[in-house]
């Protein structure tokens, strides 16, 4: 019961940022898709092919209609991760409101779990819903001659999970008591490493594995630090 | 649920792992930046004036002409040396330039404008690298990067418009077809075109493909290579033809000559060519697949040819027969690289390499005829000597190598341990289709920046371990942790030392009992085992010891 009350509180505080991210993704991604659908060039795309000639293979490889939206999702997801991390763990430090939250009849792990759950809901429910909507739109035969490939859709979920990695990196940095010029930013630095390691994988399963390992490493440290630290 | 006291046994190693990864990344970036900056500054610094190049002698001109001539052969096996004066490399040749043709005895047999050449040489298939799409490129197309998400789409054209699109699905290893108005047409796989993916079947692990448009259509046809098979896919006629299947081993490379509209660059082809596909397998066997009429020949090449890699054997099929052109260098006359080459000084390595370059090398061009049974018979052979190259190694290269050797002394000793694991060196050199590029690039970096277990790397490592011991002794909390950090710094060198300092640099005080330095990580002094003294209660202290509670 206390957990759900805390969760409601965290969701209420995160709602403006999560909604903003979802609206930006929906509006800009939707507009980009709509423009591409109006000028669907597949019938004119291959006009450079000539009879009796060798074809460069790069003429046959095409960007998906969702590529630009996927790039936008990547940026929005990382940005949301940073903002939520600051909102959940840095703002209470700056406003000195940690004692009001922690010195209650609720365990620290419950407080932490409510914040992490709120962030996870923000990513997977809000951003995930918009991404599903964009993919559905890009797969409609009346909009695009050839539907968007499933790989783009899976990549989008990868970027959403990367946003969670950015969130955990920001949280770890916020919880660290070290000086900023020593090891305080190592949380964010590690999240950046995981990000690059994931996006350069050619197999999607390996990318998810890398992210899963990164999340475990960050989460273990976040739990330990949050529960043992003095506020 | 609260984390127990034992949770630190999970969190602490994880923290160490995270920190070493970050610090190692920073050290690697710094090493790379220093080496690249050294090379950049060395290249842009003023070079000492060299002696003016001497005018080549007649003999040097003759050898240069022979070296840079194209060795062409006629269907009867005659070898000619084709040369365009003033143009050293083949890509500089032009049809409108003056061309000279010499026979093997260096007699000039013809001179004139290149496009008027009366001789029709056997066309050699060029490996059309730029137009072959390899497995590596297919993998890069599927990176999870936000700006790279491409698909392979083959159009079926009708006039100037596209009526169908066939998309390759990598995890199914087959194609799915869409009408441009929407809707799925069907699937294309190893079994042909079908209404379901299971009926169509999978092509197999992707190797490479090349595409061309037939003379009467703008719909591309594909030559699709998997690990053991080659298919020709015609989307317009909905046909999949199995052209070749390697019986035992994987296919390594393919070359084509006049297959469909695929044609090599440059030399005019002789009339009456047969479409030919040359398939080279990983066990160094060659197979020729020809058409008009259809024929497959397994060429019986001598076993010692398997030592040579690269484009040394090129096949052509004409009405007069099947020809093999082979260019090779006699390496047996040259001394082998010494086993301890990597541990020699830079000067000694440079001297050895310059000595090799200065030696003249014998090149050979052989022309063989191949019969229907795959047996080869030597038609003609021409040999020429390429003079050695003299001259010093460029100074910037020397600076770059020396700088790299210096910064490598700070690399982890772990690199050398990894390098000596069996199989690692093979993986580093394996550029065939399916290796993970990140893994191979990491191995290449380890090879370039490992310290080589040299004297200075031992000295630096010992200094760092010594410093860690001096720093960690007053701060130690247990013997096991202390020894762990010593071993850790020994293995990871500079990165290990920085990680240790990042996680363990805590203040020390002077023990009030024994006067030695002690850390504050545990209550007892590491020397005299006495506790930290309790602070004296002050007048305003609210919490004080009941035994010395002030009298009321």
């Amino acid at each position: 019961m206390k957990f759900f009350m805390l969760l409601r509180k965290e969701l209420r505080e995160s709602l403006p940022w999560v909604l903003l991210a979802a609206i930006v993704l929906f509006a800009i991604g939707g507009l980009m898709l709509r423009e591409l659908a109006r000028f669907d060039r597949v019938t004119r795309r291959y006009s450079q092919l000539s009879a009796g000639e060798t074809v460069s293979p790069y003429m046959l490889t095409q960007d998906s209609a969702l590529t630009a939206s996927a790039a936008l999702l990547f940026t929005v997801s990382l940005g949301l991760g940073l903002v939520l991390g600051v909102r959940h763990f840095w703002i209470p430090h700056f406003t000195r409101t940690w004692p009001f939250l922690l010195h209650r009849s609720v365990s620290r792990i419950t407080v932490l779990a409510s914040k992490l759950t709120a962030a996870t809901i923000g990513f997977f429910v809000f951003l995930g819903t918009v991404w599903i909507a964009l993919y559905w739109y890009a797969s409609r035969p009346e909009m695009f001659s050839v539907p968007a490939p499933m790989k783009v859709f899976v990549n989008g979920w990868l970027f959403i999970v990367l946003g969670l990695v950015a969130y955990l990196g920001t949280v770890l940095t916020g919880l660290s008591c070290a000086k900023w010029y020593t090891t305080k930013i190592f949380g964010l630095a590690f999240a950046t490493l995981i990000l690059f390691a994931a996006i350069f994988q050619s197999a999607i399963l390996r990318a998810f594995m890398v992210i899963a390992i990164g999340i475990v490493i960050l989460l273990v440290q976040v739990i330990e630090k949050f529960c043992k630290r003095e506020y | 649920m609260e984390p127990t006291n034992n949770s630190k046994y999970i969190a602490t190693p994880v923290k160490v792992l995270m920190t070493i990864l970050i610090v190692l990344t920073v050290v690697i970036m710094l090493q790379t930046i220093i080496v690249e900056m050294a090379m950049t500054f060395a290249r842009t610094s003023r070079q000492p004036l060299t002696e003016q190049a001497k005018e080549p002698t007649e003999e040097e001109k003759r050898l240069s002409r022979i070296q840079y001539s194209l060795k062409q052969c006629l269907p009867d096996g005659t070898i000619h040396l084709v040369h365009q004066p003033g143009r050293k490399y083949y890509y500089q040749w032009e049809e409108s330039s003056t061309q000279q043709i010499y026979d093997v005895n260096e007699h000039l047999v013809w001179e004139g404008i290149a496009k008027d050449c009366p001789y029709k040489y056997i066309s050699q298939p060029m490996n059309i690298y730029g137009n072959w799409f390899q497995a590596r490129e297919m993998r890069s197309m599927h990176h999870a990067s936000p700006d790279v998400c491409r698909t392979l789409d083959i159009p079926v054209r009708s006039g100037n418009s596209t009526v169908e699109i066939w998309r390759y699905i990598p995890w199914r290893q087959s194609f799915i077809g869409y009408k441009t108005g929407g809707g799925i047409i069907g699937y294309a796989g190893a079994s042909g075109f079908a209404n379901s993916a299971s009926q169509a079947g999978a092509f197999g692990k992707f190797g490479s493909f090349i595409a061309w448009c037939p003379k009467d259509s703008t719909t591309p046809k594909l030559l699709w290579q998997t690990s053991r098979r080659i298919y020709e896919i015609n989307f317009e006629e909905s046909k999949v033809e199995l052209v070749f299947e390697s019986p035992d081993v994987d296919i390594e490379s393919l070359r084509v000559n006049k297959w469909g509209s695929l044609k090599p660059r440059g030399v005019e082809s002789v009339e009456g060519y047969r479409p030919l596909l040359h398939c080279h397998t990983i066990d160094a066997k060659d197979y020729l697949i020809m058409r008009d009429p259809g024929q497959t020949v397994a060429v019986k090449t001598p076993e010692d040819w398997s030592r040579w890699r690269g484009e040394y054997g090129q096949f052509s099929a004409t009405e007069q027969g099947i020809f093999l052109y082979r260019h090779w260098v006699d390496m047996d006359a040259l001394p082998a690289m010494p086993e301890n080459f990597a541990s020699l000084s830079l000067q000694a390595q440079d001297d050895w390499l310059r000595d090799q370059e200065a030696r003249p090398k014998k090149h050979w061009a052989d022309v063989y005829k191949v019969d229907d049974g795959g047996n080869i018979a030597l038609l003609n052979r021409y040999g020429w000597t390429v003079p050695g190259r003299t001259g010093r190694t460029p100074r910037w290269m020397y600076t770059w190598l020396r700088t790299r050797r210096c910064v490598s002394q700070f690399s982890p000793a772990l690199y050398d341990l990894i390098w000596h694991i069996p199989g690692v060196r093979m993986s580093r050199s394996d550029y065939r289709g399916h290796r993970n590029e990140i893994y191979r690039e990491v191995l290449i970096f380890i090879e370039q920046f490992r310290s080589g277990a040299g004297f200075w790397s031992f000295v630096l490592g010992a200094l760092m371990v010594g410093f860690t011991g001096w720093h960690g002794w007053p701060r130690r909390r247990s013997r096991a942790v202390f020894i762990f950090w010593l071993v850790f710094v020994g293995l990871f060198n500079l990165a290990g030392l920085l990680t240790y300092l990042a996680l363990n640099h805590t203040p020390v005080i002077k023990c009030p009992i024994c006067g030695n330095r002690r850390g504050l990580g545990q209550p007892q002094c590491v020397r005299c085992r006495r506790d930290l003294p309790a602070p004296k209660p002050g007048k305003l202290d609210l919490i004080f010891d009941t035994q010395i509670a002030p009298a009321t």
Side-chain angles (χ1 to χ4, degrees):
Chain A
M1 190 64 189
K2 289 175 186 172
F3 169 75
F4 286 110
M5 286 174 65
L6 280 169
L7 181 61
R8 275 179 58 189
K9 172 226 173 238
E10 297 298 337
L11 280 173
R12 196 171 57 241
E13 288 175 357
S14 311
L15 198 61
W17 303 107
V18 170
L19 272 181
L20 179 65
I23 288 170
V24 163
L25 180 63
F26 183 74
I28 300 178
L31 271 172
M32 285 196 291
L33 273 181
R34 192 168 163 76
E35 282 303 302
L36 283 170
R38 277 176 58 194
F39 298 104
D40 187 15
R41 295 185 302 271
V42 70
T43 51
R44 294 187 294 274
R45 193 181 292 165
Y46 301 101
S47 55
Q48 291 176 353
L49 292 172
S50 312
E53 294 291 331
T54 311
V55 175
S56 165
Y58 297 100
M59 283 175 63
L60 302 175
T61 57
Q62 305 294 336
D63 275 330
S64 157
L66 271 179
T67 298
S69 301
L72 179 66
L73 172 63
F74 177 74
T75 313
V76 165
S77 184
L78 291 186
L80 183 62
L82 289 170
V83 165
L84 282 186
V86 168
R87 180 67 191 87
H88 287 175
F89 289 88
W90 289 49
I91 299 284
H93 176 72
F94 292 140
T95 56
R96 299 174 200 266
T97 50
W98 272 127
F100 293 100
L101 182 61
L102 294 176
H103 297 131
R104 298 184 186 186
S105 58
V106 64
S107 64
R108 284 197 186 188
I109 203 75
T110 307
V111 173
L112 180 64
S114 66
K115 288 182 181 288
L116 296 180
T117 307
T120 307
I121 289 171
F123 280 106
F124 285 97
V125 173
F126 286 81
L127 289 188
T129 305
V130 173
W131 183 240
I132 291 172
L134 289 174
Y135 179 73
W136 169 81
Y137 185 80
S139 302
R140 290 176 64 194
E142 53 267 27
M143 289 293 143
F144 292 95
S145 312
V146 183
M150 177 59 69
K151 189 187 174 294
V152 179
F153 182 65
V154 175
N155 271 7
W157 285 102
L158 189 85
F159 301 150
I160 290 171
V161 179
L162 278 174
L164 203 56
V165 172
Y167 169 75
L168 289 172
T170 313
V171 167
L172 188 60
T173 299
L175 288 174
S176 173
C177 300
K179 295 275 188 282
W180 66 269
Y181 50 82
T182 56
T183 60
K184 188 169 181 74
I185 58 166
F186 272 25
L188 277 171
F190 186 72
T192 310
L193 264 182
I194 294 297
L195 192 144
F196 279 105
I199 65 174
F200 286 128
Q201 299 295 330
S202 52
I204 204 82
L205 212 59
R206 265 205 297 265
F208 275 112
M209 256 171 49
V210 166
I211 293 174
I213 292 169
I215 285 178
V216 165
I217 289 175
L218 288 167
L219 197 58
V220 163
Q221 293 184 78
V222 162
I223 293 172
E224 177 77 9
K225 252 196 180 23
F226 186 78
C227 293
K228 296 271 172 75
R229 199 191 121 156
E230 296 290 331
Y231 289 93
Chain B
M1 184 192 78
E2 290 287 345
T4 63
N5 283 338
N6 292 333
S7 62
K8 67 180 180 190
Y9 296 113
I10 303 170
T12 308
V14 160
K15 189 175 175 184
V16 171
L17 174 67
M18 184 184 85
T19 310
I20 186 63
L21 282 175
I22 292 168
V23 173
L24 200 56
T25 305
V26 171
V27 168
I28 287 168
M29 283 166 62
L30 281 174
Q31 285 180 312
T32 313
I33 288 169
I34 290 170
V35 168
E36 291 299 317
M37 279 175 65
M39 184 167 77
T40 304
F41 285 126
R43 283 184 100 150
T44 53
S45 63
R46 192 180 292 184
Q47 301 288 336
L49 286 173
T50 54
E51 296 174 10
Q52 283 198 341
K54 292 185 299 189
E55 184 65 22
T57 62
E58 287 303 317
E59 179 64 10
E60 283 170 349
K61 283 183 189 171
R62 185 185 75 85
L63 289 174
S64 174
R65 175 177 53 75
I66 293 173
Q67 181 184 350
Y68 294 110
S69 292
L70 205 58
K71 283 75 183 174
Q72 298 279 23
C73 62
L74 294 167
D76 63 359
T78 307
I79 293 179
H80 282 170
L81 278 65
V82 185
H83 175 66
Q84 287 199 3
R87 293 168 200 274
K88 216 185 230 188
Y89 301 108
Y90 184 56
Y91 70 86
Q92 297 169 322
W93 287 24
E94 288 175 6
E95 288 287 308
S96 54
S97 303
T98 303
Q99 191 156 293
Q100 296 170 341
I101 298 177
Y102 292 83
D103 64 12
V104 296
N105 298 315
E106 297 177 37
H107 297 132
L108 182 67
V109 297
W110 183 82
E111 183 174 5
I113 303 296
K115 61 179 179 353
D116 299 329
C117 176
Y119 296 100
K120 301 293 179 192
Y121 299 110
I122 296 175
S123 158
Q124 293 159 16
M126 302 279 186
N127 202 342
I128 320 173
Y129 273 127
N131 289 313
W132 278 102
F133 192 80
Q134 311 272 348
R136 196 179 315 137
E137 285 143 317
M138 183 70 88
R139 279 199 301 278
S140 70
M141 225 167 66
H142 293 109
H143 278 157
S145 174
D147 57 337
V148 175
C149 189
R150 302 174 74 83
T151 51
L152 179 63
D153 292 344
I154 313 297
V156 174
R157 309 261 293 160
S158 171
N160 286 332
S161 59
T162 303
V163 295
E164 294 173 5
I165 296 277
W166 289 83
R167 172 172 289 168
Y168 181 64
I169 310 296
W171 59 85
R172 278 206 198 119
Q173 296 174 346
S174 61
F175 287 84
I176 181 169
Y178 298 97
K179 274 187 281 199
T180 46
I184 294 177
I185 307 166
Y187 300 83
S191 309
F193 285 69
N195 292 326
S196 70
S198 51
Q199 276 179 333
F203 280 113
K205 200 169 191 180
F206 176 73
S208 65
F209 85 85
I210 191 168
W212 73 96
C213 288
K215 287 196 176 82
D216 52 356
S217 168
T218 53
T219 298
K221 285 170 90 166
L222 304 188
L223 207 55
W224 189 269
Q225 180 232 321
T226 63
S227 47
R228 295 238 181 136
R229 291 178 172 184
I230 304 170
Y231 297 90
E232 187 174 291
I233 310 175
N234 187 338
F235 291 96
E236 195 166 22
E237 294 173 15
S238 300
K239 274 195 211 160
V240 175
E241 181 191 344
L242 176 63
V243 173
F244 173 73
E245 181 170 7
S246 169
D248 303 310
V249 297
D250 289 354
I251 297 171
E252 182 171 336
S253 67
L254 292 180
R255 276 187 213 101
V256 292
N257 192 354
K258 283 212 74 171
W259 191 275
S261 304
L262 296 166
K263 47 184 181 287
R265 183 177 61 86
V267 181
E268 272 300 312
S269 53
V270 181
E271 289 297 326
Y273 264 80
R274 293 168 66 190
L276 176 138
L277 176 64
H278 167 208
C279 175
H280 186 79
T281 53
I282 58 171
D283 58 352
K285 291 200 169 60
D286 296 279
Y287 297 89
L288 305 179
I289 301 99
M290 290 160 285
R291 287 184 168 163
D292 305 336
Q295 185 183 8
T296 301
V297 172
V299 182
K300 296 176 182 132
T301 52
E303 279 195 14
D304 62 346
W305 284 17
S306 61
R307 291 191 290 134
W308 308 116
R309 298 180 66 84
E311 298 185 41
Y312 293 117
Q314 296 166 356
F315 292 86
S316 303
T318 69
E319 287 167 348
Q320 288 96 341
I322 306 169
F323 297 92
L324 164 64
Y325 173 86
R326 181 174 171 246
H327 171 219
W328 58 287
V329 181
D330 189 356
M331 302 297 283
D332 289 337
L334 300 172
M337 185 177 276
E339 283 185 13
N340 62 337
F341 183 80
S343 57
L344 295 174
S345 70
L346 284 177
Q347 186 63 52
Q349 287 183 8
D350 186 48
D351 289 341
W352 189 90
L353 288 169
R354 281 195 294 131
D355 180 57
Q356 297 310 300
E357 282 184 15
R359 289 170 186 264
K361 294 171 188 63
K362 189 74 176 179
H363 288 240
W364 295 96
D366 298 348
V367 180
Y368 296 83
K369 195 155 184 187
V370 185
D371 65 21
D372 291 344
N375 301 301
I376 58 171
L378 181 67
L379 279 186
N380 204 349
R381 167 175 283 176
Y382 174 69
W384 69 100
T385 303
V386 174
R389 284 185 300 176
T390 55
R392 297 194 61 81
T393 305
R395 194 175 168 183
W396 64 264
M397 174 94 64
Y398 197 67
T399 306
W400 173 63
L401 288 171
R402 194 165 47 182
T403 309
R404 196 180 74 187
R405 189 172 264 200
C406 282
V407 300
S408 298
Q409 304 310 306
F410 293 91
S411 295
L414 200 61
Y415 289 177
D416 286 286
L417 290 175
I418 291 173
W419 189 243
H420 288 102
I421 293 174
V424 161
R425 297 185 205 201
M426 288 284 290
S427 300
R428 173 258 181 268
S429 304
D430 184 4
Y431 281 87
R432 268 190 293 118
H434 310 296
R435 292 283 181 192
N436 185 314
E437 275 80 25
I438 296 177
Y439 173 64
R440 191 174 48 243
E441 292 302 317
V442 166
L443 290 180
I444 290 171
F445 179 83
I446 287 174
E447 182 198 13
Q448 302 272 326
F449 281 92
R450 63 188 186 97
S451 59
F455 170 74
W456 286 111
S457 70
F458 278 122
V459 167
L460 283 169
L463 283 174
M464 289 187 198
V465 171
F467 176 80
T468 306
W470 172 81
H471 182 276
W473 185 251
R475 295 172 173 85
R476 69 187 187 281
R477 275 170 280 186
S478 76
R479 200 175 290 269
V481 171
F482 179 70
I483 291 171
F484 164 77
W485 281 114
L486 291 179
V487 171
F488 186 85
V489 171
L491 271 182
F492 284 98
N493 209 331
L494 179 66
L497 177 65
L498 292 175
T499 303
Y500 164 76
L501 289 173
L503 298 176
N504 294 282
H505 186 64
T506 50
V508 291
I509 60 167
K510 200 169 173 184
C511 176
I513 311 297
C514 63
N516 291 307
R517 286 190 316 146
R518 57 152 293 170
L520 299 173
Q522 57 179 8
Q524 286 90 22
C525 173
V526 294
R527 311 290 174 105
C528 62
R529 314 305 294 170
R530 301 287 187 91
D531 284 347
L532 274 172
K536 290 178 187 168
K539 284 183 184 176
L540 298 178
D541 280 349
L542 297 176
I543 300 170
F544 44 84
D545 190 351
T546 52
Q547 290 180 346
I548 54 169
T552 50

